Amino acid sequence: MANTHIETELAEGSPSLMQRVIALRERYLTDRQFTLILSFLVGLFAAVAAFILHWLIEEIQLLLTEGFDTETFNWMYLVYPVIGIYLTSLFVRHIVKDEISHGITRILYAISSKRSRLKGHNCWSSVIASAITIGFGGSVGAEAPIVLTGSAIGSNLGQLFKMDNKTLMLLVGCGAAAAIAGIFKAPIAGLVFTLEVLMIDLTMASLLPILISSVTATCFTYIFTGSDSLFTFTLDNPWPVERIPANILLGVFGGFVSLYFIRTMTACESVFGRLKQKPIAKLLLGALILSPLIFLFPSLYGEGYGSINILLSGKTEADWDTILHNSPFYGHSNMLVPYIGMVLLTKVFATSATNGGGGCGGTFAPSLFIGAFAGFFFARIWNIYNIGVFLPEKNFALLGMAAVMAGVMHAPLTGIFLIAEITGGYQMFIPLMIVSICSYLTIIIFEPHSIYGMRLARQGKLITHHTDRAVLTLMSLDSVIDKNYTAVSPDMPLASLVHAISKSHNNILPVLDNAGNLLGEIDITKLRHIVFRIELYHHFTVRQLMSQPEATLNVNTKMEDVMRQFDRTDASMLPVLDKDNHLLGYISRTHMYSVYRKIVADLSED
């Protein structure tokens, strides 16, 4: 039947090349088989995008900083980041002409509100914008832009081949997983990131495509860049049981650092948000914050992966002192701990100023950066004051990365597997689990949602693994409103009302005044005792017979609240009003539950 339908459609006119491809695909491949092919392509393209972005960043940074003297500070640190932010803002404003910041939040929003449809420009715009921002020294990460790029590639490939909404959601997850796997050469981390952060349910139907995308991206990244890990780490001091108390305390400390990061980031965003219509003012404010910080603490320049590597690979004080290069603190080894502490506190301001001023970047790399500095700072203070057993600082820098990532993203599994994979620190699995779990348990006391989900959670648009809430989030009020109703006026006699009832397809007739305001409603089931008595037709009017609705809804009512109102009132239909009390239509309990069951069935299919 499907093939006959396709052939009929193609016979009606001259089909395009894309139509022919889709027709052939539907004839010879099942949807599941084709989804696996698309997941491979998503992994390939995401790996290419990640390679291009990091190559652009490295080339720009090399061009700008090649001649810098490491033994003194450089005045250009005051200028480069501001130039980068300004160029990025011009690119976004005049070429992209769309909002591209908060990449992972935009993916979550697309999944919950736009049926997993991301715009075509997201396949390239974030790569260019973040390359300019980070290459010129913006203190943000490239991961969120690449995750948005990978997800956009998956979404647009799915749209190109007319895949259904569930497959689009899966391809968006494949793109995100491929991006993480490609950037870090960490396929397992890519998988668990998609499950924990994007809330894609793990079923047999979703597991294989996501794994294919992750492994494909990882393999092509190895081909493009070789076998070296992103960070250099060698375990010199194996983990003993005696360090468990220190691991627990580091996890708690990481949870509070994550809380500081999220709360400060949110506060800074609200300040820059007030200047939304004033791009020059945003740029100046961002420059006033960012330039002095990078001048004083050059570790804040760019993604900061060079500084992380110093903390992870250093073995002597001389090695760790190299983190002071290019700063006014150069040559003052006694200032290492204060320097580490100040960088830990100011990184969030540098990141907020970069994005708030008009740059483009994510919080993924900053959370790794802060985590490494927090872990090193914790271990150094512990050792200085001889609190307990000796703590190897570079090991705790590694553990700090997992702790802060788990807290900021509310993703302990991502923190565990990503840090293990990108550093080769598999022998640290037990302490990685301890610090990640403790960090997560600490932060959920204060923040129930991740830094990516909290914005959408406030709007009631966040998809979670809670099936009922996920389904209600995916449902839109507009999709269940019945706007085909028969309205009556309050002064209409019963005879005319009976005529209106004969034309209505609902049991409820709204009573409206001349301005369209809802005055009440006529419930046909309550009028059976008089509608057939012709002698009463001229003795009653609608005003005498109408009743007030059990409850009213408005255009901004969340679907979870709509369901709650139906459960509370046991009504069959409820009216939906706009902000001026004008009737928009009715929601039927029967229709709403029908849509609900359909979405549940779609989400539950394997």
Side-chain angles (χ1 to χ4, degrees):
M1 287 292 291
N3 289 344
T4 304
H5 176 67
I6 294 165
E7 289 165 2
T8 303
E9 278 191 347
L10 295 180
E12 290 176 354
S14 178
S16 65
L17 176 62
M18 197 65 234
Q19 288 174 319
R20 290 179 183 274
V21 171
I22 293 173
L24 290 172
R25 189 277 295 179
E26 292 182 349
R27 178 179 299 173
Y28 296 111
L29 294 171
T30 65
D31 285 346
R32 182 170 174 77
Q33 290 170 335
F34 192 64
T35 300
L36 297 180
I37 294 173
L38 289 180
S39 66
F40 171 81
L41 294 176
V42 170
L44 169 60
F45 294 144
V48 171
F51 172 75
I52 291 173
L53 175 56
H54 279 287
W55 179 80
L56 286 173
I57 292 172
E58 289 172 6
E59 291 301 312
I60 294 172
Q61 288 182 340
L62 183 64
L63 179 67
L64 296 178
T65 63
E66 189 174 14
F68 277 15
D69 184 357
T70 61
E71 297 183 2
T72 185
F73 51 82
N74 292 276
W75 292 104
M76 295 309 293
Y77 278 132
L78 290 168
V79 180
Y80 284 157
V82 181
I83 295 174
I85 293 173
Y86 180 63
L87 292 175
T88 303
S89 64
L90 290 178
F91 170 75
V92 172
R93 217 165 44 240
H94 298 293
I95 298 178
V96 180
K97 299 178 181 177
D98 189 21
E99 179 66 44
I100 60 174
S101 62
H102 300 309
I104 296 174
T105 300
R106 300 192 76 77
I107 299 169
L108 292 169
Y109 178 73
I111 291 174
S112 64
S113 303
K114 295 183 178 295
R115 297 179 298 168
S116 302
R117 282 161 168 76
L118 289 160
K119 295 180 180 179
H121 71 74
N122 289 129
C123 296
W124 56 268
S125 56
S126 294
V127 171
I128 297 174
S130 58
I132 297 171
T133 299
I134 301 169
F136 275 81
S139 194
V140 287
E143 290 73 24
I146 279 295
V147 171
L148 176 59
T149 299
S151 294
I153 290 170
S155 175
N156 282 273
L157 273 176
Q159 293 176 61
L160 182 65
F161 289 100
K162 313 297 182 188
M163 307 304 286
D164 59 41
N165 291 338
K166 187 185 177 186
T167 305
L168 280 184
M169 182 187 294
L170 177 57
L171 290 173
V172 165
C174 287
I180 295 297
I183 292 171
F184 296 112
K185 299 177 183 174
I188 299 176
L191 170 66
V192 296
F193 172 85
T194 302
L195 302 178
E196 285 190 303
V197 178
L198 298 189
M199 301 296 175
I200 303 296
D201 281 329
L202 180 60
T203 64
M204 289 308 297
S206 63
L207 178 61
L208 191 56
I210 294 175
L211 276 176
I212 288 173
S213 293
S214 297
V215 172
T216 301
T218 304
C219 290
F220 276 100
T221 302
Y222 272 108
I223 292 171
F224 297 149
T225 64
S227 59
D228 292 339
S229 297
L230 185 62
F231 299 115
T232 303
F233 177 80
T234 303
L235 183 64
D236 297 329
N237 198 319
W239 177 78
V241 176
E242 289 78 8
R243 289 195 200 131
I244 289 179
N247 293 151
I248 294 173
L249 289 175
L250 175 62
V252 174
F253 178 62
F256 281 110
V257 170
S258 303
L259 180 65
Y260 165 76
F261 183 82
I262 292 175
R263 292 278 175 87
T264 307
M265 178 77 72
T266 303
C268 292
E269 283 180 357
S270 66
V271 172
F272 281 100
R274 299 189 195 110
L275 304 173
K276 191 171 184 179
Q277 305 302 323
K278 302 175 181 178
I280 299 301
K282 286 173 60 178
L283 175 64
L284 290 175
L285 178 59
L288 286 174
I289 297 172
L290 183 61
S291 292
L293 287 178
I294 292 181
F295 178 75
L296 290 172
F297 311 109
S299 297
L300 299 176
Y301 187 90
E303 293 173 291
Y305 285 164
S307 297
I308 295 176
N309 266 321
I310 291 172
L311 297 181
L312 293 179
S313 61
K315 296 182 178 180
T316 64
E317 289 299 319
D319 293 335
W320 287 317
D321 283 348
T322 59
I323 209 166
L324 301 174
H325 284 182
N326 292 124
S327 77
F329 302 92
Y330 177 80
H332 301 280
S333 298
N334 60 314
M335 294 299 294
L336 178 63
V337 173
Y339 180 90
I340 295 287
M342 290 303 296
V343 170
L344 172 62
L345 292 174
T346 56
K347 176 65 174 181
V348 63
F349 293 101
T351 299
S352 300
T354 301
N355 281 331
C360 177
T363 56
F364 204 109
S367 68
L368 290 175
F369 180 93
I370 289 177
F373 275 69
F376 186 92
F377 183 81
F378 177 92
R380 178 56 65 93
I381 293 296
W382 179 288
N383 291 334
I384 288 175
Y385 291 100
N386 294 313
I387 297 173
V389 296
F390 173 79
L391 304 181
E393 281 106 346
K394 70 174 190 176
N395 288 14
F396 272 69
L398 177 76
L399 296 174
M401 293 166 69
V404 174
M405 172 170 287
V408 169
M409 299 183 186
H410 282 45
L413 288 177
T414 302
I416 294 166
F417 284 104
L418 180 66
I419 302 308
E421 286 187 291
I422 62 180
T423 61
Y426 292 100
Q427 293 169 288
M428 298 284 287
F429 247 107
I430 298 298
L432 281 171
M433 286 191 279
I434 293 173
V435 298
S436 296
I437 291 169
C438 291
S439 175
Y440 176 70
L441 292 177
T442 300
I443 197 168
I444 59 172
I445 298 172
F446 306 97
E447 285 289 350
H449 300 288
S450 72
I451 194 170
Y452 304 126
M454 60 191 305
R455 304 179 188 96
L456 296 181
R458 292 182 187 132
Q459 304 171 32
K461 295 177 180 178
L462 179 64
I463 298 289
T464 70
H465 287 299
H466 189 294
T467 302
D468 182 62
R469 290 176 185 167
V471 171
L472 292 174
T473 301
L474 289 169
M475 292 174 66
S476 67
L477 200 66
D478 284 340
S479 67
V480 292
I481 294 179
D482 181 4
K483 299 182 179 180
N484 184 19
Y485 55 83
T486 302
V488 295
S489 65
D491 298 321
M492 180 182 288
L494 178 58
S496 300
L497 174 61
V498 171
H499 181 67
I501 289 174
S502 67
K503 297 190 299 180
S504 175
H505 68 285
N506 290 323
N507 288 336
I508 302 293
L509 280 72
V511 183
L512 307 180
D513 62 15
N514 293 332
N517 296 315
L518 182 67
L519 302 178
E521 59 186 22
I522 295 293
D523 187 343
I524 298 175
T525 61
K526 297 178 181 179
L527 300 182
R528 290 195 182 99
H529 62 291
I530 62 172
V531 292
F532 298 110
R533 298 180 61 182
I534 300 176
E535 70 275 14
L536 300 178
Y537 279 14
H538 297 289
H539 289 80
F540 287 96
T541 63
V542 168
R543 190 185 301 276
Q544 295 170 289
L545 301 172
M546 72 180 186
S547 59
Q548 293 301 311
E550 296 284 347
T552 60
L553 309 171
N554 62 64
V555 290
N556 297 317
T557 303
K558 300 173 184 176
M559 288 305 300
E560 195 170 347
D561 294 330
V562 173
M563 190 74 79
R564 195 175 291 117
Q565 289 284 34
F566 272 109
D567 290 340
R568 182 182 65 82
T569 62
D570 200 33
S572 61
M573 300 181 71
L574 289 176
V576 181
L577 310 178
D578 66 13
K579 61 181 180 179
D580 298 318
N581 201 43
H582 295 156
L583 181 67
L584 295 177
Y586 275 84
I587 292 182
S588 160
R589 175 195 286 265
T590 304
H591 178 57
M592 188 178 71
Y593 275 98
S594 174
V595 174
Y596 178 92
R597 284 193 297 270
K598 184 179 184 304
I599 296 176
V600 169
D602 289 342
L603 287 176
S604 302
E605 283 179 2
D606 272 350

